[in-house]
């Protein structure tokens, strides 16, 4: 089997997922892990698909005809199978302001952590009338790294940018 990663980006409309799933199924593919979302009228997603080796080109060609919606990337065997890894889970909450994502992700990157999953949301703050920023991040920790070093750096950054941070491993 060949593993492909599809990125979907376009104006949101009914039937996008069904159309892509139909093309994947017609090529004998299997829809695996995915993350899909509508944001401000746009649809975006990423999907892992496995397809028989002899039908991968057929699937790529069929997807390329979907009005510029789908981009396909092949995943090598080494990338598709992750070795067991340690993870850090981060929860960030604070008044929304520019730079929160930049500062937190820069601290993770400086220690060699790779983000496996991240979700963010800005919502109205009930009492203050402003906006709250919330992030949930799952990051892969490199072998041999002392998690306490990362935790200390993240706590320093959180204090500097005035957000609440919870870190668990």
């Amino acid at each position: 089997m060949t593993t492909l990663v599809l990125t979907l980006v376009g104006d949101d409309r009914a039937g996008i997922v069904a159309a892509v799933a139909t093309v994947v199924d017609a090529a004998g593919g299997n829809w695996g892990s995915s993350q899909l979302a509508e944001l401000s009228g746009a649809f975006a997603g990423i999907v892992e698909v496995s397809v028989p080796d002899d039908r991968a080109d057929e699937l790529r060609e069929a997807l390329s005809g979907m009005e510029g919606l789908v981009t396909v990337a092949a995943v090598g065997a080494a990338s598709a199978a992750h070795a067991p890894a340690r993870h850090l889970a981060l929860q960030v909450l604070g008044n929304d302001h520019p730079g929160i994502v930049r500062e937190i992700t820069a601290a993770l990157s400086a220690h060699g952590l790779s983000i496996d999953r991240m979700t963010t949301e800005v919502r109205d703050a009930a009492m203050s009338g402003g906006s709250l920023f919330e992030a949930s991040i799952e990051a892969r920790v490199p072998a041999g790294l002392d998690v306490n070093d990362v935790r200390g750096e993240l706590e320093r950054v959180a204090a500097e940018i005035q957000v609440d941070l919870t870190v668990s491993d």
Side-chain angles (χ1 to χ4, degrees):
M1 297 290 276
T2 296
T3 300
L4 302 175
V5 174
L6 316 179
T7 55
L8 317 173
V9 179
D11 292 334
D12 189 36
R13 64 183 185 283
I16 293 173
V17 176
V20 174
T22 298
V23 171
V24 169
D25 184 64
N30 184 47
W31 187 292
S33 298
S34 64
Q35 294 285 317
L36 309 167
E38 180 277 332
L39 299 168
S40 298
F43 178 81
I46 187 165
V47 182
E48 181 184 61
V49 172
S50 56
V51 63
D53 294 335
D54 62 339
R55 300 193 67 190
D57 288 337
E58 171 190 339
L59 178 56
R60 280 187 187 97
E61 186 174 323
L63 290 168
S64 71
M66 298 194 75
E67 304 172 17
L69 172 72
V70 181
T71 303
V72 181
V75 176
S79 298
H82 293 292
R86 295 182 308 152
H87 286 86
L88 278 185
L90 289 75
Q91 299 296 319
V92 180
L93 179 65
N95 291 324
D96 186 38
H97 59 84
I100 296 172
V101 172
R102 181 191 68 239
E103 294 295 331
I104 297 293
T105 59
L108 293 172
S109 178
H111 288 279
L113 278 78
S114 178
I115 295 173
D116 284 345
R117 180 159 285 138
M118 182 170 108
T119 58
T120 64
E121 180 181 15
V122 176
R123 64 177 189 270
D124 291 335
M127 300 303 252
S128 70
S131 297
L132 286 177
F133 174 84
E134 185 172 7
S136 177
I137 303 169
E138 184 178 322
R140 195 170 342 115
V141 179
L145 180 69
D146 185 351
V147 174
N148 289 322
D149 291 342
V150 178
R151 187 184 313 268
E153 175 68 8
L154 288 167
E155 289 170 353
R156 184 196 64 74
V157 167
E160 186 176 294
I161 62 175
Q162 300 179 347
V163 296
D164 291 329
L165 174 73
T166 305
V167 180
S168 56
D169 49 341

